[in-house]
Amino acid sequence: MTRRSCAIYATGIVCAHLLIVGIALVVAQVFQTMIHSRLKKEITLTEKSQVFEGWKNPPPPVYMEYYFFNVTNPEEFLAGGKAAVQQIGPYTYREYRPRENITFLENGTKVYALNPKTFVFVPEKSAGNPEVDIVRTVNIPFVAVMNELNSYSFFLRTLVSMYMNSIGIELFMNRTVHEVLWGFKDPLLTKIHSMKPEVDEYFGLMWKKNGTHEGEFVFHTGEENYLDYGKIDTWNGLREMSWWSSNQSNMINGTDGAVFHPLINRNELLYIFAADLCRSIHLAYVKDVEVKGIQAFRFAPPSDVLMSPKDNPTNAGFCVPAGDCLGTGVLKVSVCREGAPIVVSFPHFYQADPKYINAVDGLNPNKEEHETYLDLQPTTGVPIRACKRAQLNVILKRVQGFPNSMFASFLSRQTATIDDESASQMRTLLLIVTLVSNFPLLIVGMGIILLLVLVVLFCRNRQKKVRPRGRRPGPELLNS
């Protein structure tokens, strides 16, 4: 056997082994299964986990932007006309939210933590000075008191309203942005406080929310089941709430929005418990996006989240009392806001019933500016970019002497994007995962290359063996 023949046979044997082994590994998905098992084991809320430190001290900077709706025609509105508002802002604050008092429970399968939030003003990202800029907005304490008087006689409501007007308390108030956000001593609440000391005499949309937490959380670490990674077990000792009118609406589902389980697919719904909304919401896949060179899935609340019970009966449980429902796109959260007539929606009533949008001049809802979304890296489940947008509205009832309406007060936008260092680490990790997962394809590719080499060698070898016939010698050559 010649060397050429030996080379052909050796190439054929190696080629066959590579193709058989590679195809077998691809079909069995051995390396993908190994990587997925590793991710399920490593991505947990345990002290040894690589993701624990990022959960404890989130690296991406979080910013809160506050916008206010400045009322430009209060006299016209009080006379029965349509209100006109002008959006002012943003007033931007850097939000710090470390986990504190971390305690592992039940053999490391659960973890207790507090999540205090601190806000620091960022002038360079703001449109003005919150301690100087004045905003004319709805006087929420005034509306709340009038709302409490609804069950009393018209005569009593009129007397109280006349008394408040005599001391300068009206439906609209002029205050600095800082006062409306972080609190001021309200004259009406001060009067009530003198009679009922349990009533706080200070009011602010973010009063007592700087440096405080939203409750005591116990999370699943994911040790028992990777799908439970980061999910809330209890909030303030509760596994379900009692505010709403159905068991389903009272459920505490999902995570707090900071982490999600690895290996996310496009077909699943992700659940988040939002303590400020007093409920859980779900997010559905929207599209693939790229953030700093990282492929991600965008999830956003679908339109059925705040849909009217007429169109989505599962939302009937958010009507309190039962049957007292609002239209599409709004959620009444008075039940968890000490009775204040507060309604939450997306900014500018995005995805809401047109009647709310048309009731006020100055609103322009659109997806680009007003959608809430979350961009997740699907392999690790890590949030790459997030934008949470919400609007606070006040219910004004005709029985209070004002036009019956839903009055937009202010909106907030919370944003976070992965920092450059974390993005670089994520890209490196995903590159390793991709290479290891595709290693069987590399083996198949090498087998195909050797197969081509084998074909070339075989063809050349046949050409060597098959030589052209020469001319038969003539008599003159034989006789010579």
Side-chain angles (χ1 to χ4, degrees):
M1 185 180 290
T2 63
R3 290 183 178 179
R4 184 180 297 276
S5 298
C6 289
I8 292 173
Y9 283 122
T11 303
I13 293 171
V14 174
C15 171
H17 278 81
L18 287 175
L19 288 174
I20 292 172
V21 172
I23 293 173
L25 290 175
V26 170
V27 172
Q29 297 186 330
V30 174
F31 282 81
Q32 284 185 325
T33 302
M34 180 182 68
I35 288 293
H36 290 179
S37 298
R38 187 73 176 174
L39 288 170
K40 294 174 185 178
K41 183 178 180 180
E42 290 295 327
I43 300 182
T44 58
L45 295 179
T46 58
E47 290 182 292
K48 295 180 181 180
S49 170
Q50 295 181 352
V51 300
F52 177 74
E53 189 59 34
W55 176 79
K56 181 180 177 182
N57 295 293
V62 179
Y63 293 100
M64 283 293 297
E65 298 176 350
Y66 296 104
Y67 299 81
F68 291 84
F69 290 107
N70 190 59
V71 183
T72 59
N73 63 339
E75 293 82 9
E76 182 179 342
F77 175 76
L78 292 174
K82 181 190 291 188
V85 296
Q86 179 184 16
Q87 180 177 299
I88 61 173
Y91 299 91
T92 306
Y93 295 78
R94 171 76 185 270
E95 181 180 340
Y96 297 88
R97 46 196 309 172
R99 310 275 182 178
E100 295 182 353
N101 295 9
I102 297 173
T103 307
F104 289 96
L105 308 170
E106 299 183 23
N107 200 27
T109 60
K110 297 177 183 178
V111 59
Y112 167 94
L114 299 177
N115 192 197
K117 299 178 181 180
T118 304
F119 301 88
V120 178
F121 182 62
V122 184
E124 59 272 19
K125 289 182 175 290
S126 302
N129 186 342
E131 297 188 359
V132 174
D133 295 353
I134 303 293
V135 59
R136 182 191 290 117
T137 186
V138 175
N139 188 338
I140 296 180
F142 174 87
V143 176
V145 170
M146 295 301 293
N147 191 59
E148 287 295 316
L149 293 174
N150 279 341
S151 58
Y152 293 88
S153 66
F154 173 78
F155 178 73
L156 179 60
R157 292 199 307 271
T158 302
L159 287 179
V160 173
S161 179
M162 292 176 58
Y163 168 74
M164 288 191 289
N165 288 332
S166 69
I167 60 175
I169 301 173
E170 299 177 343
L171 175 63
F172 295 106
M173 62 180 181
N174 295 310
R175 292 281 178 177
T176 66
V177 168
H178 181 85
E179 288 177 321
V180 176
L181 264 182
W182 306 110
F184 62 94
K185 191 173 182 179
D186 182 77
L188 177 58
L189 295 179
T190 300
K191 292 287 184 181
I192 298 175
H193 176 76
S194 63
M195 298 178 286
K196 299 180 66 176
E198 65 272 17
V199 175
D200 199 327
E201 56 187 334
Y202 285 85
F203 169 79
L205 297 172
M206 296 291 289
W207 172 244
K208 291 184 177 180
K209 292 185 178 181
N210 196 352
T212 60
H213 58 80
E214 292 181 326
E216 301 179 350
F217 287 86
V218 174
F219 302 92
H220 290 277
T221 62
E223 279 282 287
E224 293 182 320
N225 186 342
Y226 83 99
L227 292 173
D228 290 335
Y229 165 64
K231 285 187 177 180
I232 298 169
D233 180 54
T234 62
W235 174 64
N236 288 334
L238 303 172
R239 282 192 167 86
E240 62 178 27
M241 298 168 288
S242 58
W243 295 315
W244 308 109
S245 57
S246 74
N247 293 332
Q248 181 177 350
S249 298
N250 280 317
M251 294 174 65
I252 298 175
N253 294 324
T255 74
D256 64 350
V259 294
F260 295 87
H261 67 80
L263 308 177
I264 293 172
N265 65 68
R266 296 178 177 88
N267 298 321
E268 65 180 303
L269 293 177
L270 301 179
Y271 286 84
I272 296 176
F273 173 69
D276 53 344
L277 298 180
C278 315
R279 63 165 287 185
S280 299
I281 63 172
H282 60 272
L283 290 79
Y285 169 80
V286 177
K287 62 181 179 179
D288 285 23
V289 296
E290 182 178 307
V291 183
K292 296 187 177 181
I294 302 171
Q295 295 298 317
F297 292 168
R298 172 161 294 182
F299 284 80
S303 58
D304 64 350
V305 168
L306 295 180
M307 191 173 286
S308 167
K310 294 180 180 179
D311 302 311
N312 182 12
T314 58
N315 283 341
F318 295 110
C319 302
V320 179
D324 185 12
C325 304
L326 299 176
T328 290
V330 295
L331 174 70
K332 185 163 61 174
V333 293
S334 307
V335 291
C336 62
R337 296 291 181 93
E338 299 179 351
I342 301 299
V343 170
V344 174
S345 68
F346 292 119
H348 288 238
F349 293 113
Y350 171 66
Q351 291 185 338
D353 191 312
K355 68 180 181 181
Y356 299 125
I357 304 169
N358 298 330
V360 180
D361 286 335
L363 301 181
N364 180 32
N366 62 84
K367 182 176 182 179
E368 290 72 24
E369 294 182 281
H370 304 136
E371 181 186 44
T372 289
Y373 64 83
L374 185 62
D375 296 338
L376 297 173
Q377 204 295 308
T379 304
T380 61
V382 173
I384 304 299
R385 180 173 56 194
C387 186
K388 176 184 176 182
R389 296 170 166 130
Q391 178 175 299
L392 186 145
N393 312 282
V394 182
I395 299 176
L396 298 180
K397 297 183 178 181
R398 191 176 302 276
V399 294
Q400 296 170 346
F402 310 114
N404 195 24
S405 63
M406 186 86 65
F407 211 99
S409 179
F410 94 122
L411 63 88
S412 63
R413 186 175 78 159
Q414 183 183 53
T415 60
T417 303
I418 189 170
D419 60 281
D420 293 339
E421 182 180 354
S422 298
S424 178
Q425 294 174 356
M426 178 65 70
R427 289 193 297 268
T428 302
L429 171 63
L430 294 176
L431 178 61
I432 294 172
V433 170
T434 302
L435 291 176
V436 173
S437 298
N438 294 326
F439 185 68
L441 295 177
L442 179 63
I443 296 176
V444 173
M446 292 174 61
I448 293 174
I449 293 172
L450 285 180
L451 179 61
L452 295 175
V453 172
L454 177 62
V455 172
V456 172
L457 290 175
F458 186 77
C459 292
R460 293 185 64 181
N461 188 56
R462 284 185 60 84
Q463 289 176 355
K464 289 284 185 179
K465 288 182 178 181
V466 182
R467 296 176 180 175
R469 292 182 180 181
R471 191 177 60 176
R472 183 174 296 179
E476 66 277 5
L477 292 176
L478 293 175
N479 294 331
S480 61

